[in-house]
Amino acid sequence: MTVDNPTTGAGRPPGAASEPPTGPPTTGSTATRVLGVITLVGIAALVLLGVFLTPADAELGDTIRILYMHVPTVSTAYLAFVITAIASVMYLWKRTEFWDLFAASSAELGVLFFALTILNGMLWGKITWGVFWRWEPRLTTTAVLMLTYVGYLAVRQIPNDTRTRGTISAVIGIMAVVNIPITHKAVDWWRGLHQEKTIFGTVDPDMKGLQLFTAYLGLTVFLVLFAWLLIHRFRVAWLAERAADVGVDAAIAERRAERAVPSSAGGAS
Amino acid sequence: MRDAVLVMTKDLRLEWRSKVGIGQVLPFSLLVVLLFAFALDPERGVLDRVTSGLFWVVVLFSSVLMIERAFSVEAADGIFDALRLSGLAPAAIYAGKVAALAVQLLAVEAVLAVAVAVFYDTTFRTPVLTVGVALVATVGIAAAGAVYGALAARLRSGTTLLPLLLLPLLAPVLIGATRGFEVALGREAGPGWPWVALLGIFAVVYLTLGALLFRPLLEDA
Amino acid sequence: MSDTAYIATAWIATFGSLGLYSLWLLRRGRKLSRSVPPDERRWL
Amino acid sequence: MELAVHLRDAVALLGRFPALAGADLDVARGEVVLLRGPNGAGKTTLLRVCAGLAAVSSGVAEVLGVDLVRHRSAIRRRVGLLGHATYLYDDLTVTENVDFWARAAGAEVADGRRALDRLEVASRLHDLPVHTLSAGQRRRVSFAAMVARRPELWLLDEPHAGLDASGRDIIDGLVREAASVGATVLFASHELDRADDVADRTVEVVGGTVVTAPQDAPPLDAPSPLAAPPSEGVASDA
């Protein structure tokens, strides 16, 4: 992975090569195509196994079919926020745009996966408890944590120069990730320790054979999907910055042009 | 350390001069206590069941107002640049702001506790636990609040952003403080100290994190 | 709505929204790529 | 002769707008340099870059021997910036403000009070909250707060603005005195007649770049209506 050159801001040496655009027209590349194919095949297998072929669970009945997709979704979400935190620390240290955009892309995916987690949790709840929402530890924690990261995305929408936006996002990314274990602990105690039927049992050991395989298949498929999404989301963010930069060189040239004619146009103000 | 005291005294003197905390935030919190009474119809005995939860929700809202005020003062008149040039260590500025915020918040909480005791006739059976929970929770609120206050103060829509950023993060504090008070009010059996421990972890974690993160925040955010 | 209906909704909603999000990403990538000079495109 | 400020092709972006578009500037220690130029030429950004407050996105930028591209917060303690803002807490009194900024910089409270007297801020004002003071008085107090910190590099953005004649004399005296003691002064001003006899050298800032104008450059006529900057809504500085 080539790391960005050490200049900190978005500026880069003027006079970029201007030969006709020959680069690939999309954010795709061989790597993403390979990942893409693997993801699609994996999803197909997961659907086949999870929904149709595996037997109903002794204890959970058919609701386990949601779990096959639900547990990987929430694990990917937490992975996304851990990546955001690590990238945020790296940004504060290295100050390169690469880490800033990497953290932001991962955070956005994390919020998306959290939203799906809550959706699945509610559907699962409808079957198990007969009601969409119960102040059940996992659902509550997910909802609260998602809000902290919605704040992260809200901050990034505010027009700001890249350095300020990067630093503020990095700080929020770190503050929010530390909140995850604390909120987990607080919500667990809040609902009392008795372990009611919670939707997030780890991939319970007494699952065997096909069920266990499907559970792990789900995890791997979602990880590959996450990687594919992250690469694309990062490239979109990177291109967005470069597209904004295109104007900078023109602005610098135009600004220097003012110098040649000092007394007429005067500085833009 | 001397710098932190300097910043704290400056903040408290600023508060004493402008009286925003006592003059506006405190009356606001008492007002909300009344509003809840109107909303929850005291006769039906609902109030005493929700007293501690209500108390801490009011404290959280008041803290958002106070934090927003504490940092909008710094963002005005180019003072943020002066702070960056001043030679004060960022961690010292952070510690000073957190201390000043905690002192003001505790003052509001004290008056609020009296009001709640009178309006909702609650009796705090174990005052030691009550004060303990309040102290640790307030430090936690101030510690996390100061970081978000600093970064929201210089964003154009910072005032509306601060609650969105801060309140979800303070969820564990709200849970811990409320349940701690429930035990203190004798409305819940069981030990109170686990909640104090949870609040303590929150406070310590965010104090250290805040001190570390204030440098990049001040440096070029 | 029967249990299986909920299960179906869960799967369809999840992969449906992920699919839509991916399409949005690819479309946006294609559109942005056009407005950026070639040497700018940095691939991991 | 050791350089206090050394800029080579420095670019500083405000959002996407190149406030500085490749500025070259060398200022020796103890020199007093006047920055001249139309509004929006980038004078304020140049001063903020030298203060380590604005980021340099490309080019060389060294102030007081510190490379600003890499760690620009290192020089802040040694720099004094006076801009259009007052840098004062409105609700605190004059003395409380000056004491705070002096002690924050590790100076003595007495330094602050001496600076106040140097700026001839009437003692009856000392205990008034700053928001009751006039703009000129406030500028004297913020100048005093800066002087109390004894910065090695003075960066003044139109220091004479809002000051009466006696105020301007005091400031010119302080600038000469600081330069004589080895401090370097870089100031932007539009009062060209007064500024010329204080400054050792005049430098012209146009279009985000520095044009070293000859000492007696013809005065600039008023700039025509200004073109909107190319970037989305980021207003450039004065």
Side-chain angles (χ1 to χ4, degrees):
Chain A
M1 192 156 66
T2 57
V3 180
D4 186 20
N5 53 46
T7 57
T8 50
R12 30 161 220 84
S18 58
E19 84 279 359
T22 53
T26 71
T27 54
S29 71
T30 46
T32 53
R33 277 183 205 92
V34 166
L35 279 177
V37 166
I38 296 174
T39 314
L40 290 177
V41 166
I43 290 175
L46 187 63
V47 169
L48 205 62
L49 280 169
V51 179
F52 301 106
L53 295 185
T54 49
D57 183 63
E59 187 201 323
L60 291 168
D62 270 330
T63 59
I64 190 165
R65 302 194 190 292
I66 294 187
L67 285 199
Y68 289 131
M69 183 240 320
H70 186 81
V71 171
T73 314
V74 77
S75 326
T76 317
Y78 283 128
L79 172 69
F81 294 131
V82 168
I83 291 178
T84 298
I86 295 169
S88 299
V89 170
M90 287 302 290
Y91 175 75
L92 290 183
W93 176 26
K94 285 277 201 291
R95 290 271 166 213
T96 51
E97 195 184 20
F98 169 82
W99 287 112
D100 174 39
L101 296 180
F102 199 68
S105 314
S106 180
E108 186 172 302
L109 294 182
V111 171
L112 173 67
F113 279 98
F114 251 1
L116 295 177
T117 308
I118 293 176
L119 173 77
N120 293 332
M122 288 164 68
L123 287 171
W124 187 87
K126 184 65 178 164
I127 302 172
T128 319
W129 309 316
V131 71
F132 279 115
W133 182 267
R134 258 182 58 167
W135 291 101
E136 186 268 344
R138 285 295 78 72
L139 267 180
T140 329
T141 318
T142 317
V144 165
L145 291 176
M146 190 172 125
L147 283 173
T148 43
Y149 281 95
V150 164
Y152 178 96
L153 296 179
V155 162
R156 290 196 75 91
Q157 303 310 324
I158 299 172
N160 227 320
D161 64 81
T162 46
R163 288 187 67 83
T164 315
R165 187 189 62 186
T167 307
I168 288 180
S169 312
V171 165
I172 296 175
I174 297 168
M175 292 280 281
V177 78
V178 171
N179 197 34
I180 293 179
I182 298 178
T183 307
H184 261 282
K185 181 56 61 191
V187 171
D188 279 354
W189 285 3
W190 174 52
R191 297 311 310 145
L193 289 183
H194 55 274
Q195 203 45 357
E196 61 187 36
K197 201 184 292 182
T198 165
I199 37 177
F200 287 116
T202 52
V203 186
D204 43 20
D206 56 22
M207 274 168 74
K208 52 206 169 324
L210 208 53
Q211 286 181 336
L212 199 59
F213 171 75
T214 315
Y216 281 109
L217 174 71
L219 272 176
T220 31
V221 165
F222 268 74
L223 284 182
V224 176
L225 170 65
F226 176 72
W228 184 83
L229 283 169
L230 187 58
I231 294 172
H232 274 288
R233 185 62 189 85
F234 170 80
R235 285 180 186 159
V236 165
W238 181 269
L239 286 174
E241 291 295 320
R242 292 293 78 73
D245 277 353
V246 163
V248 172
D249 305 321
I252 290 180
E254 184 192 319
R255 191 79 163 127
R256 297 176 78 96
E258 287 165 22
R259 166 174 161 160
V261 191
S263 58
S264 68
S269 139
Chain B
M1 190 44 204
R2 194 184 58 79
D3 290 351
V5 170
L6 178 68
V7 171
M8 185 180 84
T9 40
K10 179 264 295 180
D11 262 37
L12 292 178
R13 181 175 299 132
L14 207 57
E15 162 52 24
W16 182 252
R17 271 286 140 60
S18 60
K19 298 259 188 322
V20 163
I22 303 164
Q24 294 168 23
V25 176
L26 185 55
F28 163 77
S29 57
L30 299 176
L31 166 67
V32 174
V33 166
L34 276 183
L35 292 182
F36 273 117
F38 296 150
L40 299 177
D41 181 6
E43 267 62 39
R44 281 216 278 14
V46 168
L47 270 185
D48 60 5
R49 286 215 302 278
V50 295
T51 314
S52 44
L54 201 125
F55 177 89
W56 283 104
V57 166
V58 170
V59 166
L60 243 53
F61 287 155
S62 311
S63 63
V64 168
L65 289 179
M66 218 171 264
I67 290 162
E68 203 276 322
R69 154 79 187 162
F71 284 93
S72 60
V73 159
E74 307 290 353
D77 276 328
I79 290 178
F80 210 84
D81 284 344
L83 279 174
R84 291 156 86 180
L85 297 181
S86 70
L88 284 170
I93 299 176
Y94 172 74
K97 297 297 284 186
V98 168
L101 269 175
V103 165
Q104 292 175 61
L105 267 177
L106 283 171
V108 169
E109 281 163 34
V111 175
L112 205 57
V114 169
V116 161
V118 168
F119 289 138
Y120 303 162
D121 69 41
T122 46
T123 52
F124 290 96
R125 280 209 184 63
T126 48
V128 171
L129 181 61
T130 317
V131 171
V133 166
L135 263 177
V136 182
T138 306
V139 169
I141 294 173
V147 175
Y148 278 148
L151 62 89
R154 286 187 346 285
L155 292 174
R156 264 184 290 284
S157 53
T159 37
T160 45
L161 194 71
L162 184 58
L164 172 63
L165 285 173
L166 186 58
L167 292 178
L169 196 84
L170 292 180
V173 174
L174 182 59
I175 292 172
T178 307
R179 295 300 290 273
F181 262 31
E182 285 288 277
V183 172
L185 293 180
R187 294 182 36 70
E188 191 183 300
W193 66 265
W195 298 112
V196 177
L198 177 74
L199 293 168
I201 293 169
F202 185 93
V204 166
V205 162
Y206 278 105
L207 274 175
T208 32
L209 211 54
L212 289 173
L213 291 176
F214 221 71
R215 173 172 292 283
L217 254 185
L218 201 60
E219 207 138 90
D220 56 4
Chain C
M1 284 242 289
S2 68
D3 285 3
T4 45
Y6 285 120
I7 294 172
T9 337
W11 281 80
I12 294 166
T14 303
F15 288 111
S17 44
L18 283 173
L20 286 175
Y21 181 78
S22 313
L23 289 179
W24 172 74
L25 262 186
L26 290 175
R27 203 171 57 79
R28 207 166 147 221
R30 199 182 305 277
K31 191 159 60 69
L32 280 170
S33 306
R34 269 196 299 278
S35 66
V36 171
D39 66 336
E40 286 308 289
R41 296 182 191 121
R42 214 180 64 84
W43 312 119
L44 290 193
Chain D
M1 182 173 48
E2 213 224 330
L3 281 179
V5 172
H6 172 60
L7 301 180
R8 272 296 169 283
D9 205 15
V11 174
L13 297 174
L14 279 186
R16 300 268 175 224
F17 177 75
L20 279 191
D24 306 321
L25 181 65
D26 280 343
V27 176
R29 269 193 190 276
E31 225 187 338
V32 178
V33 173
L34 163 66
L35 297 177
R36 232 172 52 154
N39 293 105
K43 299 194 293 296
T44 300
T45 307
L46 183 67
L47 292 173
R48 283 178 62 84
V49 161
C50 294
L53 293 175
V56 178
S57 41
S58 73
V60 171
E62 273 146 30
V63 168
L64 302 175
V66 171
D67 171 13
L68 295 187
V69 176
R70 224 173 312 287
H71 35 74
R72 55 194 164 87
S73 54
I75 47 125
R76 291 181 181 160
R77 173 65 198 73
R78 302 156 61 190
V79 160
L81 176 69
L82 190 96
H84 305 295
T86 62
Y87 310 103
L88 301 173
Y89 293 100
D90 281 352
D91 294 318
L92 291 183
T93 68
V94 169
T95 42
E96 282 163 352
N97 262 296
V98 172
D99 291 353
F100 173 74
W101 292 113
R103 291 199 11 239
E108 292 310 316
V109 171
D111 299 333
R113 298 301 168 84
R114 259 201 310 280
L116 270 180
D117 299 338
R118 275 306 299 275
L119 267 298
E120 290 170 11
V121 175
S123 52
R124 59 177 167 68
L125 300 177
H126 284 197
D127 297 326
L128 293 178
V130 163
H131 62 76
T132 57
L133 268 58
S134 74
Q137 288 162 330
R138 262 195 286 228
R139 186 166 268 279
R140 287 181 188 225
V141 174
S142 58
F143 206 99
M146 190 201 83
V147 165
R149 295 177 53 236
R150 287 203 196 79
E152 296 169 45
L153 172 62
W154 290 32
L155 299 160
L156 312 173
D157 197 354
E158 292 176 32
H160 299 124
L163 283 178
D164 52 25
S166 79
R168 296 177 180 195
D169 294 341
I170 297 168
I171 284 192
D172 292 348
L174 279 171
V175 164
R176 268 191 227 97
E177 191 185 309
S180 65
V181 178
T184 315
V185 179
L186 199 56
F187 71 104
S189 181
H190 289 299
E191 280 94 3
L192 300 183
D193 46 13
R194 166 173 286 279
D196 273 349
D197 49 41
V198 178
D200 305 329
R201 187 160 58 99
T202 302
V203 158
E204 200 143 338
V205 179
V206 179
T209 58
V210 176
V211 175
T212 38
Q215 187 59 19
D216 42 23
L220 289 169
D221 48 30
S224 64
L226 304 169
S231 71
E232 81 292 10
V234 173
S236 84
D237 51 76

